[in-house]
Amino acid sequence: EADAPALAALRRANRDFLVPFEPERHESFFTAAGQASMIDDLLLRAEAGLVVPCVIEVDGELVGQASINDVVRGAFQSAHLGYWLSEDRTGRGIGTAAVAAAVFIAFDEMGLHRLQADTLIDNVASRKVLARNGFARIGLAPRYLRIAGRWQDHVLHQLLADDQRDPPSVE
């Protein structure tokens, strides 16, 4: 909850960069109060075992977020991975390390069987991050998510617990 002001500032600073990759956001989303509300919701869902929300930090500075979402137990033992990184921190291996940390949490701490991550077709950088972490492309979902105000196709990726390769170092 203490991250709300820093998250709001980071979201505002990266608003134009993230617009093509995210759902449309109400203006309140970019305020400390809006982020605090989102955090409260995430923490309630985390208590129910439905999500594991994380922030990405470099040298104590908040630079993005990663979340293990839509956790389903029972016979499925699966979840979705979502993440974003500040524009000024891309291309430095930070996203790859953050995804590796999420993979560790999903498989080694939560005992999940499968982790899915989906990208827009033209999000080559994110697909490379997933590939470096052992995710395999499993298909194309037409008009899968409403991103930037329109239904857009997504490339689907998955990683199975027993298909993990040696992940990158997470330091």
CSV table of all heavy atoms in Angstrom, one decimal, residues 76 78-83 99 103 107 114-141 144 153-160 163 165:
chain,number,residue,atom,x,y,z
A,76,PHE,N,-6.4,-28.0,-12.7
A,76,PHE,CA,-5.8,-27.1,-13.7
A,76,PHE,C,-4.4,-26.6,-13.2
A,76,PHE,O,-3.4,-26.6,-13.9
A,76,PHE,CB,-6.7,-25.9,-13.9
A,76,PHE,CG,-6.4,-25.2,-15.2
A,76,PHE,CD1,-6.0,-25.8,-16.4
A,76,PHE,CD2,-6.5,-23.8,-15.2
A,76,PHE,CE1,-5.8,-25.1,-17.5
A,76,PHE,CE2,-6.3,-23.1,-16.3
A,76,PHE,CZ,-5.9,-23.7,-17.5
A,78,SER,N,-3.0,-23.6,-12.7
A,78,SER,CA,-2.5,-22.7,-13.7
A,78,SER,C,-2.7,-21.3,-13.3
A,78,SER,O,-3.6,-21.0,-12.5
A,78,SER,CB,-3.2,-23.1,-15.0
A,78,SER,OG,-2.6,-22.3,-16.1
A,79,ALA,N,-2.0,-20.4,-14.0
A,79,ALA,CA,-2.2,-19.0,-13.8
A,79,ALA,C,-1.7,-18.2,-15.0
A,79,ALA,O,-1.0,-18.8,-15.9
A,79,ALA,CB,-1.5,-18.5,-12.6
A,80,HIS,N,-2.1,-16.9,-15.1
A,80,HIS,CA,-1.6,-16.0,-16.1
A,80,HIS,C,-0.5,-15.1,-15.5
A,80,HIS,O,-0.6,-14.7,-14.4
A,80,HIS,CB,-2.7,-15.2,-16.7
A,80,HIS,CG,-3.6,-15.9,-17.6
A,80,HIS,ND1,-4.7,-16.5,-17.2
A,80,HIS,CD2,-3.5,-16.0,-18.9
A,80,HIS,CE1,-5.3,-17.0,-18.3
A,80,HIS,NE2,-4.6,-16.8,-19.3
A,81,LEU,N,0.5,-14.8,-16.3
A,81,LEU,CA,1.5,-13.8,-15.9
A,81,LEU,C,1.3,-12.5,-16.7
A,81,LEU,O,1.1,-12.5,-17.9
A,81,LEU,CB,2.9,-14.4,-16.3
A,81,LEU,CG,4.1,-13.5,-16.1
A,81,LEU,CD1,4.2,-13.2,-14.6
A,81,LEU,CD2,5.3,-14.2,-16.6
A,82,GLY,N,1.4,-11.4,-16.0
A,82,GLY,CA,1.3,-10.1,-16.6
A,82,GLY,C,2.5,-9.3,-16.0
A,82,GLY,O,2.9,-9.5,-14.8
A,83,TYR,N,3.0,-8.4,-16.8
A,83,TYR,CA,4.1,-7.6,-16.3
A,83,TYR,C,4.3,-6.4,-17.2
A,83,TYR,O,3.8,-6.3,-18.4
A,83,TYR,CB,5.5,-8.4,-16.3
A,83,TYR,CG,5.9,-9.0,-17.6
A,83,TYR,CD1,6.7,-8.3,-18.5
A,83,TYR,CD2,5.4,-10.2,-18.0
A,83,TYR,CE1,7.1,-8.8,-19.7
A,83,TYR,CE2,5.7,-10.8,-19.2
A,83,TYR,CZ,6.6,-10.1,-20.1
A,83,TYR,OH,6.9,-10.6,-21.3
A,99,VAL,N,10.5,-11.8,-14.9
A,99,VAL,CA,9.7,-12.9,-15.3
A,99,VAL,C,10.3,-14.2,-14.7
A,99,VAL,O,9.6,-15.1,-14.3
A,99,VAL,CB,9.6,-13.0,-16.9
A,99,VAL,CG1,9.1,-14.4,-17.3
A,99,VAL,CG2,8.8,-11.9,-17.4
A,103,VAL,N,8.3,-16.9,-12.5
A,103,VAL,CA,8.3,-18.3,-12.7
A,103,VAL,C,8.7,-19.1,-11.5
A,103,VAL,O,8.1,-20.1,-11.2
A,103,VAL,CB,9.2,-18.6,-13.9
A,103,VAL,CG1,9.5,-20.1,-14.1
A,103,VAL,CG2,8.7,-18.1,-15.2
A,107,PHE,N,6.1,-21.8,-9.8
A,107,PHE,CA,6.4,-23.2,-9.8
A,107,PHE,C,7.0,-23.7,-8.5
A,107,PHE,O,6.5,-24.7,-7.9
A,107,PHE,CB,7.3,-23.6,-10.9
A,107,PHE,CG,6.7,-23.4,-12.3
A,107,PHE,CD1,7.4,-22.9,-13.4
A,107,PHE,CD2,5.3,-23.6,-12.5
A,107,PHE,CE1,6.9,-22.7,-14.6
A,107,PHE,CE2,4.8,-23.5,-13.8
A,107,PHE,CZ,5.5,-23.0,-14.8
A,114,ARG,N,1.3,-24.9,-14.7
A,114,ARG,CA,1.4,-24.2,-15.9
A,114,ARG,C,1.3,-22.7,-15.7
A,114,ARG,O,0.5,-22.2,-14.8
A,114,ARG,CB,0.2,-24.6,-16.8
A,114,ARG,CG,0.1,-24.0,-18.1
A,114,ARG,CD,-1.2,-24.6,-18.9
A,114,ARG,NE,-1.4,-23.9,-20.1
A,114,ARG,CZ,-2.1,-22.8,-20.2
A,114,ARG,NH1,-2.7,-22.3,-19.2
A,114,ARG,NH2,-2.3,-22.2,-21.4
A,115,LEU,N,2.0,-21.9,-16.5
A,115,LEU,CA,2.0,-20.4,-16.4
A,115,LEU,C,1.8,-20.0,-17.9
A,115,LEU,O,2.5,-20.4,-18.7
A,115,LEU,CB,3.2,-19.9,-15.8
A,115,LEU,CG,3.2,-18.4,-15.4
A,115,LEU,CD1,2.1,-18.1,-14.4
A,115,LEU,CD2,4.6,-18.0,-14.8
A,116,GLN,N,0.8,-19.1,-18.1
A,116,GLN,CA,0.5,-18.6,-19.4
A,116,GLN,C,0.8,-17.1,-19.5
A,116,GLN,O,0.5,-16.4,-18.5
A,116,GLN,CB,-1.0,-18.9,-19.8
A,116,GLN,CG,-1.3,-18.4,-21.2
A,116,GLN,CD,-2.7,-18.8,-21.7
A,116,GLN,OE1,-3.1,-19.9,-21.4
A,116,GLN,NE2,-3.4,-17.9,-22.4
A,117,ALA,N,1.3,-16.6,-20.6
A,117,ALA,CA,1.5,-15.2,-20.8
A,117,ALA,C,1.2,-14.9,-22.2
A,117,ALA,O,1.5,-15.7,-23.1
A,117,ALA,CB,3.0,-14.8,-20.5
A,118,ASP,N,0.5,-13.8,-22.5
A,118,ASP,CA,0.0,-13.4,-23.8
A,118,ASP,C,0.5,-12.1,-24.2
A,118,ASP,O,0.6,-11.2,-23.3
A,118,ASP,CB,-1.5,-13.4,-23.7
A,118,ASP,CG,-2.1,-14.7,-23.1
A,118,ASP,OD1,-1.6,-15.8,-23.4
A,118,ASP,OD2,-2.9,-14.5,-22.2
A,119,THR,N,0.9,-11.9,-25.5
A,119,THR,CA,1.4,-10.6,-25.9
A,119,THR,C,0.6,-10.2,-27.2
A,119,THR,O,0.1,-11.1,-28.0
A,119,THR,CB,2.9,-10.8,-26.3
A,119,THR,OG1,3.0,-11.6,-27.4
A,119,THR,CG2,3.7,-11.3,-25.1
A,120,LEU,N,0.6,-8.9,-27.4
A,120,LEU,CA,0.1,-8.4,-28.7
A,120,LEU,C,1.1,-9.0,-29.8
A,120,LEU,O,2.3,-9.2,-29.5
A,120,LEU,CB,0.1,-6.9,-28.7
A,120,LEU,CG,-0.9,-6.2,-27.9
A,120,LEU,CD1,-0.6,-4.8,-27.6
A,120,LEU,CD2,-2.3,-6.4,-28.5
A,121,ILE,N,0.6,-9.1,-31.0
A,121,ILE,CA,1.3,-9.7,-32.1
A,121,ILE,C,2.6,-8.9,-32.3
A,121,ILE,O,3.7,-9.5,-32.5
A,121,ILE,CB,0.5,-9.8,-33.3
A,121,ILE,CG1,-0.6,-10.8,-33.2
A,121,ILE,CG2,1.3,-10.1,-34.6
A,121,ILE,CD1,-1.6,-10.9,-34.3
A,122,ASP,N,2.6,-7.6,-32.2
A,122,ASP,CA,3.8,-6.8,-32.6
A,122,ASP,C,4.6,-6.5,-31.4
A,122,ASP,O,5.6,-5.7,-31.5
A,122,ASP,CB,3.3,-5.5,-33.3
A,122,ASP,CG,2.4,-4.6,-32.5
A,122,ASP,OD1,2.0,-5.1,-31.4
A,122,ASP,OD2,2.1,-3.5,-32.9
A,123,ASN,N,4.4,-7.1,-30.2
A,123,ASN,CA,5.2,-6.9,-29.0
A,123,ASN,C,6.4,-7.8,-29.0
A,123,ASN,O,6.4,-8.8,-28.2
A,123,ASN,CB,4.4,-7.0,-27.8
A,123,ASN,CG,5.1,-6.5,-26.5
A,123,ASN,OD1,6.3,-6.3,-26.6
A,123,ASN,ND2,4.4,-6.2,-25.5
A,124,VAL,N,7.3,-7.6,-29.9
A,124,VAL,CA,8.4,-8.5,-30.1
A,124,VAL,C,9.3,-8.6,-28.8
A,124,VAL,O,9.8,-9.6,-28.4
A,124,VAL,CB,9.3,-8.1,-31.3
A,124,VAL,CG1,10.5,-8.9,-31.5
A,124,VAL,CG2,8.4,-8.2,-32.6
A,125,ALA,N,9.5,-7.4,-28.2
A,125,ALA,CA,10.4,-7.4,-27.0
A,125,ALA,C,9.8,-8.3,-25.9
A,125,ALA,O,10.6,-9.0,-25.3
A,125,ALA,CB,10.5,-5.9,-26.5
A,126,SER,N,8.5,-8.2,-25.7
A,126,SER,CA,8.0,-9.1,-24.6
A,126,SER,C,8.0,-10.5,-25.0
A,126,SER,O,8.3,-11.4,-24.1
A,126,SER,CB,6.5,-8.7,-24.4
A,126,SER,OG,6.1,-9.2,-23.2
A,127,ARG,N,7.8,-10.9,-26.3
A,127,ARG,CA,8.0,-12.3,-26.7
A,127,ARG,C,9.4,-12.8,-26.5
A,127,ARG,O,9.6,-13.9,-26.1
A,127,ARG,CB,7.5,-12.4,-28.2
A,127,ARG,CG,6.0,-12.3,-28.3
A,127,ARG,CD,5.4,-13.0,-29.5
A,127,ARG,NE,6.1,-12.8,-30.7
A,127,ARG,CZ,6.0,-11.9,-31.6
A,127,ARG,NH1,5.1,-10.9,-31.4
A,127,ARG,NH2,6.7,-11.8,-32.7
A,128,LYS,N,10.4,-11.9,-26.7
A,128,LYS,CA,11.8,-12.3,-26.5
A,128,LYS,C,12.0,-12.6,-25.0
A,128,LYS,O,12.7,-13.5,-24.6
A,128,LYS,CB,12.7,-11.2,-27.0
A,128,LYS,CG,12.8,-11.2,-28.5
A,128,LYS,CD,13.8,-10.1,-28.9
A,128,LYS,CE,13.9,-10.1,-30.5
A,128,LYS,NZ,14.8,-9.0,-30.9
A,129,VAL,N,11.4,-11.7,-24.1
A,129,VAL,CA,11.6,-11.9,-22.7
A,129,VAL,C,11.0,-13.3,-22.3
A,129,VAL,O,11.6,-14.1,-21.5
A,129,VAL,CB,10.9,-10.8,-21.9
A,129,VAL,CG1,10.7,-11.2,-20.4
A,129,VAL,CG2,11.7,-9.5,-22.0
A,130,LEU,N,9.8,-13.6,-22.8
A,130,LEU,CA,9.2,-14.9,-22.5
A,130,LEU,C,10.0,-16.1,-23.1
A,130,LEU,O,10.3,-17.1,-22.4
A,130,LEU,CB,7.8,-14.9,-23.1
A,130,LEU,CG,6.8,-14.0,-22.5
A,130,LEU,CD1,5.5,-14.0,-23.2
A,130,LEU,CD2,6.6,-14.3,-21.0
A,131,ALA,N,10.5,-15.9,-24.3
A,131,ALA,CA,11.4,-17.0,-24.9
A,131,ALA,C,12.6,-17.3,-24.0
A,131,ALA,O,13.0,-18.4,-23.8
A,131,ALA,CB,11.7,-16.7,-26.3
A,132,ARG,N,13.3,-16.2,-23.6
A,132,ARG,CA,14.5,-16.3,-22.7
A,132,ARG,C,14.2,-17.1,-21.4
A,132,ARG,O,15.1,-17.6,-20.8
A,132,ARG,CB,15.1,-15.0,-22.4
A,132,ARG,CG,15.9,-14.4,-23.6
A,132,ARG,CD,16.7,-13.2,-23.2
A,132,ARG,NE,16.0,-12.0,-23.0
A,132,ARG,CZ,15.6,-11.1,-23.9
A,132,ARG,NH1,16.0,-11.3,-25.1
A,132,ARG,NH2,15.0,-10.0,-23.5
A,133,ASN,N,12.9,-17.1,-21.0
A,133,ASN,CA,12.5,-17.8,-19.8
A,133,ASN,C,11.9,-19.1,-20.1
A,133,ASN,O,11.3,-19.8,-19.2
A,133,ASN,CB,11.6,-16.9,-19.0
A,133,ASN,CG,12.3,-15.9,-18.2
A,133,ASN,OD1,12.9,-16.2,-17.1
A,133,ASN,ND2,12.3,-14.6,-18.6
A,134,GLY,N,12.0,-19.6,-21.3
A,134,GLY,CA,11.5,-20.9,-21.7
A,134,GLY,C,10.1,-21.1,-22.1
A,134,GLY,O,9.6,-22.2,-22.3
A,135,PHE,N,9.4,-20.0,-22.2
A,135,PHE,CA,8.0,-20.0,-22.6
A,135,PHE,C,7.9,-20.4,-24.1
A,135,PHE,O,8.7,-20.0,-24.9
A,135,PHE,CB,7.3,-18.7,-22.5
A,135,PHE,CG,6.9,-18.3,-21.1
A,135,PHE,CD1,7.8,-17.9,-20.1
A,135,PHE,CD2,5.5,-18.5,-20.7
A,135,PHE,CE1,7.4,-17.6,-18.8
A,135,PHE,CE2,5.1,-18.2,-19.4
A,135,PHE,CZ,6.1,-17.7,-18.5
A,136,ALA,N,6.9,-21.2,-24.4
A,136,ALA,CA,6.7,-21.6,-25.8
A,136,ALA,C,5.4,-21.0,-26.4
A,136,ALA,O,4.4,-20.9,-25.6
A,136,ALA,CB,6.6,-23.2,-25.9
A,137,ARG,N,5.4,-20.7,-27.6
A,137,ARG,CA,4.2,-20.2,-28.3
A,137,ARG,C,3.3,-21.3,-28.5
A,137,ARG,O,3.7,-22.4,-28.9
A,137,ARG,CB,4.6,-19.6,-29.6
A,137,ARG,CG,3.4,-19.1,-30.4
A,137,ARG,CD,3.8,-18.6,-31.8
A,137,ARG,NE,2.6,-18.4,-32.6
A,137,ARG,CZ,2.4,-17.3,-33.4
A,137,ARG,NH1,3.3,-16.4,-33.5
A,137,ARG,NH2,1.3,-17.2,-34.0
A,138,ILE,N,2.0,-21.1,-28.1
A,138,ILE,CA,1.1,-22.2,-28.2
A,138,ILE,C,-0.1,-21.8,-29.1
A,138,ILE,O,-1.0,-22.7,-29.3
A,138,ILE,CB,0.5,-22.7,-26.8
A,138,ILE,CG1,-0.1,-21.5,-26.0
A,138,ILE,CG2,1.6,-23.3,-26.0
A,138,ILE,CD1,-0.9,-21.9,-24.8
A,139,GLY,N,-0.1,-20.6,-29.6
A,139,GLY,CA,-1.2,-20.3,-30.5
A,139,GLY,C,-1.5,-18.8,-30.6
A,139,GLY,O,-0.8,-18.0,-30.1
A,140,LEU,N,-2.5,-18.5,-31.4
A,140,LEU,CA,-2.9,-17.2,-31.7
A,140,LEU,C,-4.4,-17.1,-31.3
A,140,LEU,O,-5.2,-17.9,-31.7
A,140,LEU,CB,-2.8,-16.8,-33.1
A,140,LEU,CG,-3.2,-15.4,-33.5
A,140,LEU,CD1,-2.3,-14.4,-33.0
A,140,LEU,CD2,-3.3,-15.3,-35.1
A,141,ALA,N,-4.7,-16.1,-30.5
A,141,ALA,CA,-6.1,-15.9,-30.0
A,141,ALA,C,-6.7,-14.6,-30.7
A,141,ALA,O,-6.3,-13.5,-30.3
A,141,ALA,CB,-6.2,-15.7,-28.5
A,144,TYR,N,-8.6,-11.2,-28.7
A,144,TYR,CA,-8.5,-11.9,-27.3
A,144,TYR,C,-8.7,-10.9,-26.2
A,144,TYR,O,-9.5,-11.2,-25.3
A,144,TYR,CB,-7.1,-12.5,-27.2
A,144,TYR,CG,-6.8,-13.3,-26.0
A,144,TYR,CD1,-7.6,-14.4,-25.7
A,144,TYR,CD2,-5.8,-12.9,-25.1
A,144,TYR,CE1,-7.3,-15.2,-24.6
A,144,TYR,CE2,-5.5,-13.7,-24.0
A,144,TYR,CZ,-6.3,-14.8,-23.7
A,144,TYR,OH,-6.0,-15.5,-22.6
A,153,ASP,N,-5.7,-9.2,-31.4
A,153,ASP,CA,-5.2,-10.5,-31.5
A,153,ASP,C,-4.0,-10.6,-30.5
A,153,ASP,O,-3.2,-9.6,-30.4
A,153,ASP,CB,-4.8,-10.9,-32.9
A,153,ASP,CG,-5.9,-10.9,-33.9
A,153,ASP,OD1,-7.1,-10.8,-33.5
A,153,ASP,OD2,-5.6,-10.9,-35.1
A,154,HIS,N,-3.8,-11.8,-29.9
A,154,HIS,CA,-2.7,-12.0,-29.0
A,154,HIS,C,-2.0,-13.3,-29.3
A,154,HIS,O,-2.7,-14.3,-29.7
A,154,HIS,CB,-3.1,-12.0,-27.6
A,154,HIS,CG,-3.3,-10.7,-27.0
A,154,HIS,ND1,-4.3,-9.8,-27.4
A,154,HIS,CD2,-2.6,-10.0,-26.0
A,154,HIS,CE1,-4.2,-8.7,-26.7
A,154,HIS,NE2,-3.2,-8.8,-25.9
A,155,VAL,N,-0.7,-13.4,-29.2
A,155,VAL,CA,0.1,-14.6,-29.2
A,155,VAL,C,0.1,-15.2,-27.8
A,155,VAL,O,0.4,-14.5,-26.9
A,155,VAL,CB,1.5,-14.4,-29.7
A,155,VAL,CG1,2.3,-15.7,-29.7
A,155,VAL,CG2,1.5,-13.7,-31.1
A,156,LEU,N,-0.3,-16.5,-27.7
A,156,LEU,CA,-0.4,-17.1,-26.4
A,156,LEU,C,0.9,-17.9,-26.2
A,156,LEU,O,1.4,-18.6,-27.1
A,156,LEU,CB,-1.6,-18.1,-26.4
A,156,LEU,CG,-2.9,-17.5,-26.8
A,156,LEU,CD1,-4.0,-18.6,-26.7
A,156,LEU,CD2,-3.3,-16.3,-25.9
A,157,HIS,N,1.4,-17.9,-25.0
A,157,HIS,CA,2.6,-18.6,-24.6
A,157,HIS,C,2.4,-19.3,-23.3
A,157,HIS,O,1.6,-18.9,-22.5
A,157,HIS,CB,3.8,-17.6,-24.3
A,157,HIS,CG,4.1,-16.7,-25.5
A,157,HIS,ND1,3.4,-15.5,-25.7
A,157,HIS,CD2,5.0,-16.8,-26.4
A,157,HIS,CE1,3.8,-14.9,-26.7
A,157,HIS,NE2,4.8,-15.6,-27.2
A,158,GLN,N,3.1,-20.4,-23.1
A,158,GLN,CA,3.0,-21.2,-21.8
A,158,GLN,C,4.3,-21.7,-21.5
A,158,GLN,O,5.2,-21.9,-22.3
A,158,GLN,CB,1.9,-22.3,-21.9
A,158,GLN,CG,2.4,-23.5,-22.6
A,158,GLN,CD,1.4,-24.6,-22.5
A,158,GLN,OE1,0.3,-24.5,-22.0
A,158,GLN,NE2,1.8,-25.8,-23.0
A,159,LEU,N,4.5,-21.9,-20.2
A,159,LEU,CA,5.6,-22.6,-19.6
A,159,LEU,C,5.0,-23.7,-18.6
A,159,LEU,O,4.2,-23.3,-17.8
A,159,LEU,CB,6.5,-21.7,-18.9
A,159,LEU,CG,7.8,-22.3,-18.3
A,159,LEU,CD1,8.7,-22.9,-19.3
A,159,LEU,CD2,8.6,-21.2,-17.5
A,160,LEU,N,5.4,-24.9,-18.8
A,160,LEU,CA,5.0,-26.0,-17.8
A,160,LEU,C,6.1,-26.2,-16.8
A,160,LEU,O,7.3,-26.1,-17.2
A,160,LEU,CB,4.7,-27.2,-18.6
A,160,LEU,CG,3.6,-27.2,-19.7
A,160,LEU,CD1,3.5,-28.5,-20.4
A,160,LEU,CD2,2.3,-26.7,-19.1
A,163,ASP,N,8.8,-28.4,-17.9
A,163,ASP,CA,9.5,-28.0,-19.1
A,163,ASP,C,10.5,-26.9,-18.8
A,163,ASP,O,11.1,-26.4,-19.8
A,163,ASP,CB,8.6,-27.6,-20.2
A,163,ASP,CG,7.8,-28.7,-20.8
A,163,ASP,OD1,8.2,-29.9,-20.5
A,163,ASP,OD2,6.8,-28.4,-21.4
A,165,ARG,N,13.6,-24.7,-18.4
A,165,ARG,CA,15.0,-24.7,-18.6
A,165,ARG,C,15.7,-24.0,-17.5
A,165,ARG,O,15.1,-23.4,-16.7
A,165,ARG,CB,15.3,-24.0,-20.0
A,165,ARG,CG,14.7,-24.8,-21.2
A,165,ARG,CD,15.1,-24.1,-22.4
A,165,ARG,NE,13.9,-23.6,-23.0
A,165,ARG,CZ,13.9,-22.8,-24.1
A,165,ARG,NH1,15.0,-22.6,-24.7
A,165,ARG,NH2,12.8,-22.4,-24.6
